[in-house]
Amino acid sequence: MRYTGINHLAMATADMDATIRFWRDLLGMRLVAGLGRPGYRHYFLEISPTDMLAFFEWPAVEPIEPKDHGVPVKGPFAFDHVSIGVRDRNDLWDVKDRLEAAGFWVSEVIDHGFIFSVYSFDPNNIAIEFSCPVPGVDVSSHPIMADRHPSATAKEGAEPQPGQWPAPTPTPLAERRIYPGEGRELVLVEDE
């Protein structure tokens, strides 16, 4: 099995226009697909050829309370922030300059040792980070564990450990079914 990236990360907004203005017009991500009907929209913005951000527009949803990136919280919680990769430091400074020019708060450029980052929030108060690699540092090729007290499972290393889960039984080809869902209207052409 080979992963190709994040196909899309789906979030929610009550104001699709403000969301499109931020992600498309300010940050330069193409709006590549849109689904909709009364009371529902689902739009997709291209980060890269294989990665997208998606937003549901739900009229009753409210922006989340702002929360600083990486600060621990209590209670139910699922998502801290999303970090979007940019090519290099020039692109990182371009993002920072665009956000500042548009009046959005944006952090200073932070050196994390393996990536440089800036932090901000979108119009929905979604915590976002933009990161570029530090030249000469590649944790994918050379995994590094700097935690002095890693968990027992982390001590097993970077590679997937076989035998931790039951082996799957492949679905026979004759039983593989794909069911219609939202979005088929993007590619189906009606007969004229």
Side-chain angles (χ1 to χ4, degrees), residues 89-105:
R89 283 183 274 194
N90 291 329
D91 287 343
L92 190 63
W93 281 101
D94 184 40
V95 167
K96 179 177 173 43
D97 294 342
R98 288 172 184 236
L99 290 166
E100 286 177 340
F104 287 91
W105 173 87

Side-chain angles (χ1 to χ4, degrees), residues 78-148:
F79 177 83
D80 188 76
H81 69 277
V82 59
S83 181
I84 297 169
V86 297
R87 182 184 48 203
D88 57 27
R89 283 183 274 194
N90 291 329
D91 287 343
L92 190 63
W93 281 101
D94 184 40
V95 167
K96 179 177 173 43
D97 294 342
R98 288 172 184 236
L99 290 166
E100 286 177 340
F104 287 91
W105 173 87
V106 62
S107 73
E108 298 301 325
V109 175
I110 307 298
D111 179 354
H112 292 292
F114 66 104
I115 56 174
F116 298 127
S117 298
V118 295
Y119 298 86
S120 190
F121 297 88
D122 91 332
N124 306 290
N125 289 334
I126 295 170
I128 53 177
E129 173 183 2
F130 295 89
S131 304
C132 71
V134 170
V137 180
D138 183 0
V139 295
S140 292
S141 297
H142 306 287
I144 302 166
M145 179 60 69
D147 182 356
R148 293 179 188 212

Side-chain angles (χ1 to χ4, degrees), residues 52-76:
M52 293 179 284
L53 288 179
F55 283 89
F56 288 102
E57 183 180 54
W58 297 327
V61 75
E62 297 177 12
I64 59 176
E65 289 294 320
K67 179 209 154 300
D68 284 338
H69 307 65
V71 174
V73 298
K74 292 182 180 181

Side-chain angles (χ1 to χ4, degrees), residues 31-69:
L31 178 62
V32 295
L35 304 169
R37 60 180 179 269
Y40 166 89
R41 284 192 180 117
H42 193 193
Y43 286 12
F44 294 78
L45 296 123
E46 179 184 64
I47 299 171
S48 75
T50 59
D51 306 295
M52 293 179 284
L53 288 179
F55 283 89
F56 288 102
E57 183 180 54
W58 297 327
V61 75
E62 297 177 12
I64 59 176
E65 289 294 320
K67 179 209 154 300
D68 284 338
H69 307 65

